[in-house]
Amino acid sequence: MSRKDSVFLKIFLISLAIIVISPIVHMIWMSFGAEGDFSFQAYYRVFLTEPGYLVKFWRSLLLSTLIALGQTLLSCITAFAFKNYKMRGTKVILCIMVLFMILPIQVTLLPNYLLLNYLNLLNTWWTLLLPNIFAPFGAVWLTFILMTIPKEYIEAASLDGAGVVTVLCRIVVPMIKAPLVTLFLISFVDSWNMVEQPITFLQEARSYPLSVFLVIMNEQNVTTQSVCGMLCLIPVTLLFFYYHEEFVDGIADAFALH
Amino acid sequence: MRIMTKINVWKAGSAIFLMLFVCTLVSLEISEQLLVEVNVTQGREINDLEFALPMSSLQGDGKTVYCIEKQKGVFRDEYVVKEENVSVIRVELEDIIIIGDSFYTNDGVRPFVICATSYPINKGDIVEVSSRKIGTEAEEKEYLEEQIRSQKKILLVGIPIAVICLFLLYKVWTCCVKVHEKQWKFVVKVIGYFFLFVVIFLVYGSFLDLPREILVHV
């Protein structure tokens, strides 16, 4: 690459970075007061006097963690079953799961609502946990990841007397650690940002997670909205910094499949 | 390098979440302290068309009273102040007003009317229904002073906290003395001790019943 090309590339990348970071910088700026009045009033309100915002934060964090952990665990077990046990209809089931994966979330809202209403689970946390934990994306993705692992590893472990759980926990999971972490991150971010499902399945506004609360908050209260937006950034940012190398490895593994 | 980065992120994340947890507890405590105490009454029925309310419940314009409405709060139900128009027919005695049948909720039930408050309130404020009888402004001031005097028992808790703070000050002084260390390590240590100071003062301050004027005007 010539020097001129590298200069243009740097300018292009810096411009792209500015475009991506500028909304966050604007949000930080607005959190200290709109229209030039610099004050910590919004921070005082959110962090010290009105506990509703922080309580919603902890609720959202717990909900997202449960969903991410549940989806990762179930997807791992499902993918291992698809890999290890060949029976009639396995490929059909996998194709159906891929089809459901492609469907947009808005299409499944009504059937889920009717089913959850029939089960008397509406207006509880189960309405958010169950559909997201049993989402097909993780199982399908991990199935394709596990197809790259040679069966000889599993057979060798079985010959040494390892049971199914031991093979899964001691052999398979360490080999797919990066994709598992990536799946956890993706499902955490997805559930942290979900808006349509809480609005549809939860009837009381006080049960809404922080992501929905930000949307329905009074638009005149821009400074408080900005502080709550920064609050929303904290868990996702920390998770990314902690797992960014595994995340990159996991995405690279996914592209290596192709 | 990966492990060092993970350790640093773990430390930063733990500090942030600990701070948020402390802020949650403190904000729950402060929101309780900011609640204005009110006395409420449903009035006394005189006949099918008239019933009586205390004179103190009528607002300055002579046409409105403040009522409380129950709504679901963060952890439990809370009471919000709302304004209701009333039509005063006559006044009997010095502290009773008689109002007509225009004053009912949609369910046909008489609402709870605020007849005394420990602090001026406005429409939309969240209040606490108190069982103690709220007196005049002078009586309320004396009550508040009595509450503050009773905090002296909690001040005893300040002694071990003062010892911890002195220890942290000593550590900060030691950090300042060791100037031969790398500058960024020194800055990180001082920030860490400052963070501990803030946490300790926040937790200790939340146990004190601070006057409403201080909490509102910070």
Side-chain angles (χ1 to χ4, degrees):
Chain A
M1 189 184 287
S2 67
R3 193 174 173 182
K4 196 176 173 184
D5 287 340
S6 77
V7 167
F8 277 127
L9 185 64
K10 279 183 187 170
I11 292 172
F12 172 71
L13 289 174
I14 289 170
S15 308
L16 206 59
I18 290 171
I19 291 169
V20 169
I21 294 171
S22 58
I24 298 173
V25 172
H26 176 75
M27 185 176 66
I28 295 171
W29 177 255
M30 293 300 287
S31 70
F32 287 106
E35 299 171 4
D37 298 328
F38 186 88
S39 77
F40 290 99
Q41 193 65 22
Y43 285 93
Y44 178 67
R45 195 181 310 126
V46 170
F47 288 112
L48 286 179
T49 55
E50 292 182 25
Y53 304 105
L54 285 172
V55 169
K56 280 185 171 38
F57 170 80
W58 291 114
R59 276 188 189 151
S60 302
L61 187 67
L62 179 63
L63 190 67
S64 301
T65 307
L66 286 174
I67 290 172
L69 281 174
Q71 190 179 4
T72 307
L73 180 68
L74 268 169
S75 300
C76 186
I77 294 169
T78 311
F80 182 70
F82 274 124
K83 158 81 176 171
N84 226 23
Y85 302 105
K86 299 293 177 196
M87 52 192 170
R88 291 183 73 177
T90 308
K91 285 189 180 174
V92 172
I93 295 172
L94 193 59
C95 287
I96 292 171
M97 287 178 77
V98 170
L99 280 171
F100 275 115
M101 195 176 80
I102 296 167
L103 280 177
I105 188 81
Q106 289 82 4
V107 171
T108 60
L109 276 180
L110 180 60
N112 274 335
Y113 182 89
L114 294 172
L115 176 63
L116 292 164
N117 189 31
Y118 179 75
L119 294 171
N120 288 326
L121 291 176
L122 281 180
N123 212 30
T124 63
W125 269 24
W126 292 109
T127 57
L128 301 177
L129 286 171
L130 290 175
N132 287 294
I133 286 175
F134 288 95
F137 165 73
V140 169
W141 187 50
L142 286 180
T143 303
F144 289 125
I145 296 277
L146 279 178
M147 281 179 186
T148 62
I149 295 175
K151 332 185 243 196
E152 286 78 16
Y153 287 106
I154 299 170
E155 283 171 358
S158 303
L159 283 171
D160 285 337
V164 173
V165 177
T166 309
V167 168
L168 178 62
C169 297
R170 298 281 183 92
I171 308 294
V172 174
V173 167
M175 294 177 81
I176 59 167
K177 188 182 165 195
L180 275 178
V181 169
T182 307
L183 176 63
F184 177 85
L185 280 176
I186 291 172
S187 58
F188 183 91
V189 171
D190 198 35
S191 55
W192 184 253
N193 294 328
M194 66 177 167
V195 172
E196 293 101 350
Q197 288 161 316
I199 288 176
T200 310
F201 301 139
L202 297 176
Q203 290 157 0
E204 290 178 357
R206 70 168 181 166
S207 307
Y208 288 158
L210 195 60
S211 52
V212 178
F213 187 70
L214 274 179
V215 173
I216 65 174
M217 201 189 285
N218 188 356
E219 287 178 359
Q220 292 175 356
N221 209 345
V222 176
T223 51
T224 310
Q225 260 186 327
S226 303
V227 176
C228 290
M230 286 178 59
L231 202 58
C232 275
L233 283 178
I234 292 172
V236 179
T237 310
L238 286 172
L239 270 177
F240 177 76
F241 278 124
Y242 194 78
Y243 286 120
H244 76 278
E245 295 193 14
E246 288 89 343
F247 181 66
V248 170
D249 291 342
I251 297 291
D253 284 347
F255 279 105
L257 286 175
H258 300 282
Chain B
M1 186 65 189
R2 182 190 281 197
I3 295 170
M4 283 305 296
T5 310
K6 280 188 182 300
I7 289 172
N8 291 335
V9 172
W10 179 258
K11 283 180 185 174
S14 304
I16 290 170
F17 279 114
L18 176 64
M19 196 70 182
L20 286 174
F21 184 68
V22 169
C23 285
T24 308
L25 296 177
V26 170
S27 65
L28 284 168
E29 189 65 31
I30 290 180
S31 66
E32 289 273 337
Q33 293 177 19
L34 280 175
L35 289 177
V36 176
E37 288 181 296
V38 298
N39 289 151
V40 295
T41 177
Q42 276 188 301
R44 177 172 58 85
E45 191 170 333
I46 297 174
N47 53 46
D48 287 341
L49 297 174
E50 297 176 352
F51 64 96
L53 285 176
M55 179 71 85
S56 57
S57 56
L58 194 62
Q59 296 305 306
D61 58 1
K63 294 178 192 172
T64 54
V65 295
Y66 282 145
C67 302
I68 55 170
E69 187 181 27
K70 198 189 272 191
Q71 71 176 22
K72 292 195 175 172
V74 176
F75 291 119
R76 59 175 191 271
D77 292 337
E78 54 191 23
Y79 297 103
V80 179
V81 175
K82 63 170 194 169
E83 210 173 47
E84 289 285 345
N85 291 322
V86 293
S87 49
V88 179
I89 297 174
R90 63 182 184 280
V91 176
E92 281 188 8
L93 302 176
E94 289 185 357
D95 58 350
I96 294 178
I97 59 172
I98 312 294
I99 65 176
D101 62 349
S102 57
F103 188 56
Y104 280 91
T105 63
N106 292 335
D107 301 329
V109 176
R110 287 207 307 278
F112 286 92
V113 178
I114 296 173
C115 54
T117 64
S118 60
Y119 200 79
I121 55 173
N122 294 309
K123 188 174 69 169
D125 286 350
I126 297 174
V127 296
E128 181 185 3
V129 177
S130 174
S131 54
R132 76 174 178 94
K133 192 172 179 331
I134 296 170
T136 60
E137 196 175 324
E139 287 169 357
E140 284 303 302
K141 194 175 174 186
E142 195 182 321
Y143 176 73
L144 183 65
E145 284 170 3
E146 178 63 38
Q147 292 289 100
I148 291 172
R149 278 196 293 271
S150 70
Q151 301 301 311
K152 283 183 184 171
K153 295 174 198 170
I154 299 177
L155 288 176
L156 287 175
V157 178
I159 294 173
I161 290 175
V163 169
I164 294 169
C165 290
L166 283 171
F167 173 73
L168 291 174
L169 274 171
Y170 166 72
K171 293 296 283 184
V172 171
W173 170 251
T174 313
C175 284
C176 294
V177 166
K178 287 184 181 176
V179 292
H180 60 278
E181 282 188 20
K182 286 183 185 175
Q183 293 297 320
W184 69 271
K185 276 190 181 176
F186 161 74
V187 170
V188 165
K189 279 188 181 175
V190 171
I191 288 172
Y193 289 129
F194 176 71
F195 167 77
L196 284 172
F197 273 123
V198 170
V199 168
I200 288 171
F201 276 116
L202 273 177
V203 171
Y204 179 59
S206 69
F207 285 107
L208 297 175
D209 273 340
L210 297 173
R212 189 186 165 81
E213 286 77 11
I214 294 175
L215 291 171
V216 169
H217 288 107
V218 162

Short mmCIF file of all heavy atoms in Angstrom, two decimals, chain A residues 113-139:
data_model
loop_
_atom_site.label_atom_id
_atom_site.label_comp_id
_atom_site.label_asym_id
_atom_site.label_seq_id
_atom_site.Cartn_x
_atom_site.Cartn_y
_atom_site.Cartn_z
N TYR A 113 -47.60 -14.53 22.43
CA TYR A 113 -48.55 -13.90 23.35
C TYR A 113 -49.72 -14.83 23.64
O TYR A 113 -50.13 -15.00 24.80
CB TYR A 113 -49.07 -12.58 22.74
CG TYR A 113 -50.04 -11.85 23.65
CD1 TYR A 113 -49.57 -10.93 24.58
CD2 TYR A 113 -51.40 -12.08 23.58
CE1 TYR A 113 -50.44 -10.26 25.42
CE2 TYR A 113 -52.28 -11.42 24.42
CZ TYR A 113 -51.80 -10.51 25.33
OH TYR A 113 -52.66 -9.86 26.18
N LEU A 114 -50.25 -15.47 22.59
CA LEU A 114 -51.39 -16.37 22.78
C LEU A 114 -50.99 -17.57 23.64
O LEU A 114 -51.73 -18.00 24.54
CB LEU A 114 -51.91 -16.85 21.41
CG LEU A 114 -52.52 -15.76 20.53
CD1 LEU A 114 -52.82 -16.29 19.14
CD2 LEU A 114 -53.80 -15.22 21.16
N LEU A 115 -49.79 -18.10 23.37
CA LEU A 115 -49.34 -19.25 24.14
C LEU A 115 -49.12 -18.89 25.60
O LEU A 115 -49.54 -19.61 26.52
CB LEU A 115 -48.04 -19.79 23.53
CG LEU A 115 -47.36 -20.94 24.25
CD1 LEU A 115 -48.25 -22.18 24.25
CD2 LEU A 115 -46.01 -21.27 23.62
N LEU A 116 -48.47 -17.76 25.84
CA LEU A 116 -48.18 -17.35 27.22
C LEU A 116 -49.46 -16.97 27.96
O LEU A 116 -49.58 -17.18 29.17
CB LEU A 116 -47.20 -16.17 27.21
CG LEU A 116 -45.79 -16.54 26.74
CD1 LEU A 116 -45.00 -15.28 26.38
CD2 LEU A 116 -45.05 -17.32 27.80
N ASN A 117 -50.42 -16.42 27.24
CA ASN A 117 -51.72 -16.10 27.84
C ASN A 117 -52.43 -17.39 28.26
O ASN A 117 -53.02 -17.47 29.34
CB ASN A 117 -52.57 -15.32 26.84
CG ASN A 117 -53.83 -14.77 27.48
OD1 ASN A 117 -53.84 -14.46 28.66
ND2 ASN A 117 -54.89 -14.67 26.71
N TYR A 118 -52.34 -18.42 27.41
CA TYR A 118 -52.95 -19.72 27.72
C TYR A 118 -52.31 -20.35 28.94
O TYR A 118 -52.96 -21.00 29.75
CB TYR A 118 -52.80 -20.64 26.50
CG TYR A 118 -53.38 -22.01 26.70
CD1 TYR A 118 -54.76 -22.21 26.69
CD2 TYR A 118 -52.56 -23.11 26.90
CE1 TYR A 118 -55.29 -23.47 26.87
CE2 TYR A 118 -53.08 -24.37 27.07
CZ TYR A 118 -54.45 -24.55 27.06
OH TYR A 118 -54.97 -25.80 27.24
N LEU A 119 -50.98 -20.12 29.09
CA LEU A 119 -50.25 -20.69 30.23
C LEU A 119 -50.33 -19.81 31.47
O LEU A 119 -49.72 -20.14 32.48
CB LEU A 119 -48.77 -20.87 29.85
CG LEU A 119 -48.47 -21.90 28.76
CD1 LEU A 119 -47.01 -21.82 28.35
CD2 LEU A 119 -48.80 -23.30 29.24
N ASN A 120 -51.08 -18.67 31.38
CA ASN A 120 -51.20 -17.73 32.52
C ASN A 120 -49.85 -17.21 32.98
O ASN A 120 -49.59 -17.07 34.17
CB ASN A 120 -51.92 -18.39 33.71
CG ASN A 120 -53.38 -18.57 33.44
OD1 ASN A 120 -54.00 -17.75 32.77
ND2 ASN A 120 -53.93 -19.65 33.94
N LEU A 121 -48.99 -16.95 32.04
CA LEU A 121 -47.66 -16.44 32.40
C LEU A 121 -47.48 -14.97 32.06
O LEU A 121 -46.41 -14.42 32.30
CB LEU A 121 -46.58 -17.25 31.67
CG LEU A 121 -46.41 -18.69 32.13
CD1 LEU A 121 -45.38 -19.39 31.25
CD2 LEU A 121 -45.97 -18.77 33.58
N LEU A 122 -48.52 -14.35 31.51
CA LEU A 122 -48.37 -12.95 31.12
C LEU A 122 -48.13 -12.09 32.35
O LEU A 122 -48.59 -12.38 33.44
CB LEU A 122 -49.63 -12.46 30.40
CG LEU A 122 -49.77 -12.86 28.93
CD1 LEU A 122 -51.04 -12.32 28.35
CD2 LEU A 122 -48.59 -12.36 28.11
N ASN A 123 -47.41 -10.98 32.13
CA ASN A 123 -47.10 -10.03 33.20
C ASN A 123 -46.20 -10.63 34.28
O ASN A 123 -46.17 -10.15 35.41
CB ASN A 123 -48.39 -9.52 33.84
CG ASN A 123 -48.23 -8.09 34.33
OD1 ASN A 123 -47.46 -7.32 33.76
ND2 ASN A 123 -48.93 -7.75 35.39
N THR A 124 -45.44 -11.66 33.90
CA THR A 124 -44.41 -12.19 34.79
C THR A 124 -43.09 -12.23 34.01
O THR A 124 -43.06 -12.05 32.80
CB THR A 124 -44.73 -13.62 35.25
OG1 THR A 124 -44.76 -14.48 34.10
CG2 THR A 124 -46.08 -13.69 35.95
N TRP A 125 -42.00 -12.49 34.77
CA TRP A 125 -40.70 -12.55 34.11
C TRP A 125 -40.56 -13.76 33.17
O TRP A 125 -39.73 -13.76 32.28
CB TRP A 125 -39.61 -12.62 35.17
CG TRP A 125 -39.12 -11.28 35.57
CD1 TRP A 125 -39.80 -10.10 35.45
CD2 TRP A 125 -37.85 -10.95 36.11
NE1 TRP A 125 -39.03 -9.07 35.92
CE2 TRP A 125 -37.83 -9.56 36.32
CE3 TRP A 125 -36.72 -11.71 36.44
CZ2 TRP A 125 -36.73 -8.91 36.84
CZ3 TRP A 125 -35.63 -11.04 36.98
CH2 TRP A 125 -35.64 -9.65 37.17
N TRP A 126 -41.39 -14.79 33.38
CA TRP A 126 -41.30 -15.98 32.53
C TRP A 126 -41.61 -15.64 31.07
O TRP A 126 -41.14 -16.32 30.16
CB TRP A 126 -42.25 -17.06 33.02
CG TRP A 126 -41.83 -17.63 34.33
CD1 TRP A 126 -42.44 -17.45 35.53
CD2 TRP A 126 -40.69 -18.45 34.59
NE1 TRP A 126 -41.76 -18.09 36.51
CE2 TRP A 126 -40.69 -18.72 35.97
CE3 TRP A 126 -39.67 -18.97 33.78
CZ2 TRP A 126 -39.70 -19.51 36.56
CZ3 TRP A 126 -38.70 -19.74 34.38
CH2 TRP A 126 -38.72 -20.01 35.75
N THR A 127 -42.41 -14.59 30.84
CA THR A 127 -42.74 -14.22 29.47
C THR A 127 -41.52 -13.74 28.71
O THR A 127 -41.45 -13.82 27.49
CB THR A 127 -43.78 -13.08 29.44
OG1 THR A 127 -43.26 -11.96 30.16
CG2 THR A 127 -45.07 -13.52 30.06
N LEU A 128 -40.56 -13.20 29.44
CA LEU A 128 -39.33 -12.74 28.79
C LEU A 128 -38.26 -13.83 28.81
O LEU A 128 -37.47 -13.95 27.87
CB LEU A 128 -38.80 -11.49 29.49
CG LEU A 128 -39.75 -10.30 29.52
CD1 LEU A 128 -39.14 -9.15 30.31
CD2 LEU A 128 -40.06 -9.83 28.12
N LEU A 129 -38.24 -14.64 29.87
CA LEU A 129 -37.19 -15.65 30.00
C LEU A 129 -37.39 -16.80 29.01
O LEU A 129 -36.48 -17.17 28.27
CB LEU A 129 -37.16 -16.20 31.43
CG LEU A 129 -36.58 -15.29 32.51
CD1 LEU A 129 -36.81 -15.87 33.89
CD2 LEU A 129 -35.10 -15.08 32.28
N LEU A 130 -38.59 -17.37 28.99
CA LEU A 130 -38.79 -18.61 28.22
C LEU A 130 -38.57 -18.43 26.73
O LEU A 130 -37.81 -19.21 26.13
CB LEU A 130 -40.19 -19.17 28.51
CG LEU A 130 -40.39 -19.75 29.91
CD1 LEU A 130 -41.83 -20.16 30.11
CD2 LEU A 130 -39.45 -20.91 30.15
N PRO A 131 -39.21 -17.44 26.06
CA PRO A 131 -38.98 -17.34 24.61
C PRO A 131 -37.53 -17.07 24.25
O PRO A 131 -37.03 -17.52 23.22
CB PRO A 131 -39.87 -16.16 24.19
CG PRO A 131 -40.87 -16.01 25.27
CD PRO A 131 -40.19 -16.43 26.52
N ASN A 132 -36.81 -16.32 25.11
CA ASN A 132 -35.42 -15.98 24.78
C ASN A 132 -34.45 -17.11 25.10
O ASN A 132 -33.46 -17.29 24.41
CB ASN A 132 -35.02 -14.71 25.54
CG ASN A 132 -35.68 -13.48 24.95
OD1 ASN A 132 -35.41 -13.10 23.82
ND2 ASN A 132 -36.57 -12.87 25.69
N ILE A 133 -34.70 -17.86 26.17
CA ILE A 133 -33.80 -18.97 26.50
C ILE A 133 -33.90 -20.05 25.43
O ILE A 133 -32.91 -20.68 25.06
CB ILE A 133 -34.13 -19.53 27.89
CG1 ILE A 133 -33.64 -18.55 28.97
CG2 ILE A 133 -33.50 -20.88 28.12
CD1 ILE A 133 -34.01 -18.94 30.37
N PHE A 134 -35.11 -20.27 24.92
CA PHE A 134 -35.30 -21.32 23.91
C PHE A 134 -35.19 -20.77 22.49
O PHE A 134 -35.74 -21.34 21.55
CB PHE A 134 -36.66 -21.99 24.11
CG PHE A 134 -36.70 -22.86 25.34
CD1 PHE A 134 -37.19 -22.36 26.54
CD2 PHE A 134 -36.23 -24.15 25.30
CE1 PHE A 134 -37.21 -23.15 27.68
CE2 PHE A 134 -36.26 -24.95 26.43
CZ PHE A 134 -36.75 -24.44 27.62
N ALA A 135 -34.49 -19.69 22.31
CA ALA A 135 -34.28 -19.14 20.96
C ALA A 135 -33.40 -20.07 20.14
O ALA A 135 -32.46 -20.65 20.68
CB ALA A 135 -33.63 -17.75 21.07
N PRO A 136 -33.67 -20.23 18.85
CA PRO A 136 -32.96 -21.23 18.06
C PRO A 136 -31.56 -20.83 17.58
O PRO A 136 -30.77 -21.68 17.18
CB PRO A 136 -33.88 -21.45 16.86
CG PRO A 136 -34.61 -20.18 16.71
CD PRO A 136 -34.76 -19.60 18.07
N PHE A 137 -31.27 -19.51 17.63
CA PHE A 137 -30.01 -19.05 17.02
C PHE A 137 -28.79 -19.75 17.61
O PHE A 137 -27.93 -20.26 16.89
CB PHE A 137 -29.88 -17.53 17.20
CG PHE A 137 -28.51 -17.01 16.94
CD1 PHE A 137 -28.01 -16.94 15.65
CD2 PHE A 137 -27.68 -16.61 17.98
CE1 PHE A 137 -26.72 -16.48 15.39
CE2 PHE A 137 -26.39 -16.15 17.73
CZ PHE A 137 -25.92 -16.08 16.44
N GLY A 138 -28.72 -19.80 18.94
CA GLY A 138 -27.54 -20.36 19.60
C GLY A 138 -27.34 -21.83 19.27
O GLY A 138 -26.23 -22.28 18.99
N ALA A 139 -28.45 -22.60 19.29
CA ALA A 139 -28.35 -24.04 19.03
C ALA A 139 -27.87 -24.29 17.60
O ALA A 139 -27.00 -25.14 17.37
CB ALA A 139 -29.70 -24.70 19.25
#
